[in-house]
Amino acid sequence: MDEDQWLADRFEAQRSHLRRVALRMLGSAADADDAVQEAWLRLSRSNVDEVRDLGRWLTTVVGRVCLDMLRSRATRAEQALDAPVESSAEFETSDSDPAQEVVLSESVGLALLVVLDILTPDERVAFVLHDVFAVPHAEIAPLIDRSVGATKMLVSRARRRVRNADTAAHPDTSRQHSLVQAFLTAAREGDFDALLELLDPDVVFRADAVARQAGAPADLDGAAVLARRFCGRARGARLALIDGAAGAAWAPGGVPLGVFMFTVTDTRIVAIELVGEPEHLARLALTVL
């Protein structure tokens, strides 16, 4: 076996672990795969003869890649305020992958994504590496350009924020997630009866001025009316966390141009609000799954 094949085999043995690390940090299956691929490229270009623990070394490499991606997201979110809204009557650009959404839900967990989304990129990476994957503070410090002491303080602060947010989390978040995901699936598959089951008989739909200019209806009332409108549509909408609640977003190229905010009871969706106004979108804590 030549050296390149030996290195590739060792990397493949770590791939599933590295993907779990990236999923915890990024909350996106596609981004996690990109981060793991970048880690492989960096490994293939590096001299690892003196690396004692390749798994730990690769974990920190993935952490650095994820940190860069999280910081880039924050920059794009700031730039989105000035992004033009493209016209689209159905807010549809590409098909979502339902299987990928299931993998994400099972591997990461909605509650953890909600909580981690309150952290800064540095806090998120440091907290996940240390508290979830037991990477020592001394190995995290160089990734975030801090001293070991400052890294310990950062992790401690992130831990407190996570605990406080977890305590305050809405108890029905998982149920809300299930309803929204079922709604998107029924809409994409054109299942009119399933939509009727998910919608309260008196459900309402409202869209802001920007969304209406892009082709969305202003007001819709009643389950049958909404079911007919969404049946076979919403293919470009992706499951998202919006201010900690389950919702959907249309975000071509990673830039959110429209979000669907849902109000639910224990068993039904009672209201859907479509937001397209850039300043409103910029104020939302949004994570597209």
Side-chain angles (χ1 to χ4, degrees), residues 11 20 48 72 90 101 128 133 142 163 215 221 225 231 259 280:
F11 180 83
R20 287 195 299 272
V48 294
S72 178
E90 308 300 344
E101 293 177 1
V128 169
F133 294 100
R163 286 173 179 169
D221 297 280
V225 174
C231 196
V259 301
H280 190 170

Side-chain angles (χ1 to χ4, degrees), residues 15-38:
R15 180 181 290 275
S16 61
H17 163 73
L18 299 175
R19 193 171 188 271
R20 287 195 299 272
V21 174
L23 274 170
R24 294 282 185 178
M25 293 185 188
L26 300 173
S28 163
D31 286 350
D33 288 336
D34 289 344
V36 172
Q37 181 61 26
E38 177 61 24

Side-chain angles (χ1 to χ4, degrees):
M1 181 183 296
D2 60 30
E3 184 176 353
D4 289 343
Q5 185 60 50
W6 175 81
L7 196 61
D9 289 344
R10 292 191 67 187
F11 180 83
E12 286 303 316
Q14 297 291 331
R15 180 181 290 275
S16 61
H17 163 73
L18 299 175
R19 193 171 188 271
R20 287 195 299 272
V21 174
L23 274 170
R24 294 282 185 178
M25 293 185 188
L26 300 173
S28 163
D31 286 350
D33 288 336
D34 289 344
V36 172
Q37 181 61 26
E38 177 61 24
W40 162 247
L41 294 175
R42 296 190 185 190
L43 173 63
S44 65
R45 296 193 297 261
S46 302
N47 183 353
V48 294
D49 292 341
E50 297 182 2
V51 174
R52 296 182 179 180
D53 187 336
L54 184 63
R56 181 67 61 79
W57 186 88
L58 285 169
T59 297
T60 57
V61 170
V62 168
R64 186 182 296 277
V65 173
C66 290
L67 180 60
D68 291 342
M69 295 173 74
L70 288 168
R71 287 172 173 171
S72 178
R73 279 185 191 174
T75 300
R76 289 201 306 269
E78 293 172 358
Q79 294 173 343
L81 179 62
D82 298 322
V85 176
E86 300 174 9
S87 176
S88 173
E90 308 300 344
F91 286 92
E92 296 176 359
T93 55
S94 62
D95 288 335
S96 174
D97 183 357
Q100 185 183 78
E101 293 177 1
V102 172
V103 170
L104 179 62
S105 298
E106 293 177 349
S107 301
V108 183
L110 180 68
L112 181 63
L113 285 179
V114 171
V115 173
L116 291 185
D117 207 42
I118 69 173
L119 303 180
T120 67
D122 289 24
E123 288 174 338
R124 185 163 179 161
V125 168
F127 173 79
V128 169
L129 286 178
H130 184 270
D131 280 28
V132 180
F133 294 100
V135 177
H137 294 108
E139 296 180 22
I140 299 172
L143 301 183
I144 56 177
D145 298 321
R146 283 175 167 81
S147 67
V148 174
T151 299
K152 290 180 179 179
M153 293 178 63
L154 187 74
V155 171
S156 179
R157 184 175 69 207
R159 189 181 300 123
R160 287 196 302 271
R161 296 184 69 189
V162 166
R163 286 173 179 169
N164 292 338
D166 188 54
T167 300
H170 195 284
D172 295 329
T173 299
S174 60
R175 176 58 182 163
Q176 185 185 46
H177 169 267
S178 298
L179 284 171
V180 173
Q181 189 169 42
F183 176 85
L184 292 176
T185 300
R188 292 167 186 150
E189 295 178 354
D191 192 335
F192 180 82
D193 291 337
L195 287 171
L196 283 181
E197 287 295 319
L198 293 166
L199 296 169
D200 184 87
D202 297 320
V203 64
V204 298
F205 171 91
R206 300 291 183 263
D208 66 14
V210 174
R212 293 196 300 271
Q213 290 173 3
D219 302 307
L220 297 173
D221 297 280
V225 174
L226 265 71
R228 280 194 294 270
R229 177 68 188 184
F230 280 96
C231 196
R233 298 175 177 174
R235 291 189 176 90
R238 303 297 303 274
L239 195 68
L241 297 176
I242 304 168
D243 287 343
W250 180 61
V255 178
L257 300 181
V259 301
F260 294 88
M261 303 174 71
F262 290 76
T263 303
V264 305
T265 62
D266 290 339
T267 59
R268 298 287 180 90
I269 297 168
V270 298
I272 303 174
E273 179 185 2
L274 177 55
V275 177
E277 204 280 316
E279 290 187 3
H280 190 170
L281 292 174
R283 292 194 299 269
L284 299 174
L286 175 66
T287 300
V288 179
L289 304 184

